[in-house]
Amino acid sequence: MVENFSEWFHNILEEANITDSRYPVKGMAIWMPYGFQIRKYTLELLKELLDKDNEEVLFPMLIPETELAKEGEHVKGFEDEVYWVTKGGQKDLNEQLALRPTSETAIYPMYSLWIRSHIDLPIKYYQIVNTFRYETKHTRPLIRVREISTFKEAHTAHATKQEAKEQVDEYIELYKEFFNNLGIPYLISDRPSWDKFPGADYTMAFDTIMPDGKTLQIGTIHNLGQTFAKTFDITFEDKDGEHKYVYQTCAGLSDRVIAAMIANHGDEKGLRLPSMVAPTQVTIIPILFKKGREEVLSKCMEIKKNLESVGLRVKIDDRDIRPGKKFYDWELKGTPIKIELGPRDLENNITIAMRRDKLEKVELPLDDSLADNILDLIEKYDEDLKTTSWKFLEDHVIFTTNLDEIQELIESGNVVSFNWCGDDECGKEIEEKTGYDILGIYEELDGESGIKCINNNQEEAKYIALIAKTY
Ligand code: PR8
């Protein structure tokens, strides 16, 4: 799979009924029923986390050109990626309307109307919408699309700089919890100034590593400072009657989360879904013969009910096809647990369970302990998926003090960490010399260590930074 990750990924999306990319607009695909279910459970998981401290809203998709153009740096960052609506029927519109590439310029003019006093703060809204970006880089299903169909964007406003910083840290914790639930490993870094979100003071990014060693940015949190507040005139009256600009943050995730999950856990047989988002968590496969058929089926129904009563999503695969074909489908679809039941098992009062990752048979007694035993298997399965993925990531982050070694390390499938002085010009020079992207600052050094920058041996290194081949 590692040798040909791209092909594997494209095939699995189609074979497992996740997306269909044959839609006749480049970069836009259809969520197929199985993919839609995975998407649904993934969203539920995220919403549960966000709803603790954020409120969901829904803004229109079209943004007037005057609003989009207001924030100079922001518009410059997006100008080549915006789709425009210029006509209503046959008539040219008085003002062209942008299909949102992201919603700062839709939301913040309204924040300016809504926020009046310090008691209106903080404001923490999020929405789950589709956004449009006319990407010029090679498009890939879920990974780089032109219609991001599941954009989860949060936008906050605060009275103080400190609160905005704390909000960034809170979103980092929230995203960690979200990715941990999905067993997706990540590297968190402070993006270099030339790669931060247009209009942000700084950007904190989550990157995962794909099986081919390239990294994928799977989530970003931006501290916007007062840039947008000044542009959109978002002010409040503080306790002393003074008018002040708010401080803002925004954070976003996309369809890439599902791409990362598929890529991190999948194997040559198909998907291996974390239980939280698996549409079916346990598949029961009856092994049917003429004799004892009814008894086996009725026991399967009983097991299904029993497992559902502890909250599991269970299906009986009673299709009239060979069991071998059912096993094949179960492996492809990545359901965490399969249990088999035939007439002889029924006689012996046992069932044969199998985890999708280990593919080893486990005999479980058909008694009151069954639900607990299955829950236990699922817990271990999730834990092992996560451990395996994290191990892969950790094994593929390699430190070097030699600039000339970077290329070889990256080309053999790694992300490289190195000592860096943190200077912009030096960083760009490293990117130019190596041909790869600096992801950002991963760790701060104490500055007293005498460690030198990888590129400029005279300069003290202040940070450990990451560099990689990126999607
Ligand atoms: C913001 N504003 O927009 P961001 N295809 C798939 N996923 C993508 C694509 C694409 N073409 N482009 C970006 N992403 C801020 C925060 C509101 C929310 C994913 O930030 O431009 C990336 O994983 O960094 C990215 O981290 C995330 O969307 C947010 O996009």
Side-chain angles (χ1 to χ4, degrees), residues 27 74 78 81 101-104 107-108 131-135 139-155 175 179 191 195-198 203-207 216-222 224 249-257:
H74 184 71
F78 279 105
E81 292 186 8
T102 166
S103 305
E104 283 73 10
I107 296 176
Y108 301 164
T131 55
F132 298 83
R133 295 184 182 182
Y134 185 75
E135 293 280 357
T139 59
R140 289 171 199 274
L142 301 180
I143 290 175
R144 184 175 302 281
V145 288
R146 287 183 172 173
E147 179 183 10
I148 308 177
S149 59
T150 327
F151 197 62
K152 303 92 163 172
E153 51 177 328
H155 295 268
Y175 281 10
F179 290 124
R191 285 278 185 265
D195 196 26
K196 64 188 169 72
F197 185 66
T203 288
M204 300 301 296
F206 282 67
D207 294 282
L216 180 68
Q217 175 182 300
I218 48 172
T220 28
I221 299 146
H222 313 289
L224 303 176
T249 82
C250 67
L253 301 164
S254 78
D255 315 36
R256 280 184 190 176
V257 171

Side-chain angles (χ1 to χ4, degrees), residues 205-434:
F206 282 67
D207 294 282
T208 195
I209 183 167
M210 300 296 255
D212 56 6
K214 281 162 85 173
T215 61
L216 180 68
Q217 175 182 300
I218 48 172
T220 28
I221 299 146
H222 313 289
N223 192 330
L224 303 176
Q226 292 183 311
T227 309
F228 288 89
K230 288 180 179 160
T231 307
F232 290 98
D233 197 29
I234 314 175
T235 60
F236 69 101
E237 194 178 322
D238 75 4
K239 285 186 187 118
D240 310 317
E242 212 181 311
H243 286 269
K244 289 179 172 162
Y245 288 113
V246 297
Y247 290 85
Q248 292 181 274
T249 82
C250 67
L253 301 164
S254 78
D255 315 36
R256 280 184 190 176
V257 171
I258 290 180
M261 183 168 69
I262 292 172
N264 268 289
H265 303 314
D267 66 10
E268 66 288 345
K269 290 180 182 339
L271 300 174
R272 298 194 300 184
L273 295 175
S275 70
M276 278 198 171
V277 298
T280 305
Q281 294 162 320
V282 183
T283 301
I284 304 174
I285 302 184
I287 311 292
L288 299 172
F289 300 94
K290 274 203 191 100
K291 196 167 154 258
R293 186 186 166 88
E294 291 314 313
E295 288 82 354
V296 168
L297 278 175
S298 107
K299 190 70 186 176
C300 287
M301 294 290 284
E302 194 187 311
I303 295 173
K304 179 170 187 274
K305 272 209 188 114
N306 174 14
L307 297 181
E308 280 172 345
S309 74
V310 295
L312 290 169
R313 297 190 282 269
V314 188
K315 259 203 178 136
I316 299 176
D317 189 349
D318 57 2
R319 291 177 298 169
D320 193 14
I321 53 174
R322 283 184 304 108
K325 169 76 175 107
K326 294 183 187 178
F327 298 164
Y328 173 87
D329 281 354
W330 164 72
E331 284 171 350
L332 177 65
K333 292 278 166 82
T335 302
I337 307 290
K338 150 175 95 78
I339 61 181
E340 260 173 71
L341 188 78
R344 194 171 305 155
D345 303 321
L346 197 56
E347 259 170 42
N348 296 332
N349 214 30
I350 53 147
T351 180
I352 311 291
M354 204 184 252
R355 280 167 47 170
R356 172 59 184 86
D357 58 337
K358 295 254 191 272
L359 300 176
E360 285 165 8
K361 293 187 173 183
V362 186
E363 263 187 31
L364 298 177
L366 279 177
D367 58 19
D368 290 350
S369 65
L370 185 67
D372 279 345
N373 282 332
I374 296 286
L375 286 172
D376 199 41
L377 279 182
I378 292 181
E379 195 184 319
K380 292 201 176 100
Y381 162 85
D382 281 330
E383 206 45 52
D384 285 354
L385 277 192
K386 189 171 155 191
T387 311
T388 309
S389 298
W390 270 100
K391 182 165 183 336
F392 182 82
L393 179 132
E394 280 156 6
D395 286 349
H396 288 85
V397 180
I398 313 259
F399 178 80
T400 184
T401 50
N402 180 357
L403 195 69
D404 298 331
E405 219 178 62
I406 288 181
Q407 183 180 21
E408 196 195 319
L409 285 170
I410 291 183
E411 288 309 318
S412 49
N414 300 295
V415 174
V416 173
S417 60
F418 62 95
N419 298 321
W420 185 36
C421 62
D423 176 68
D424 272 11
E425 288 317 307
C426 167
K428 285 182 193 162
E429 208 175 288
I430 294 173
E431 287 194 343
E432 245 162 59
K433 282 185 184 167
T434 60

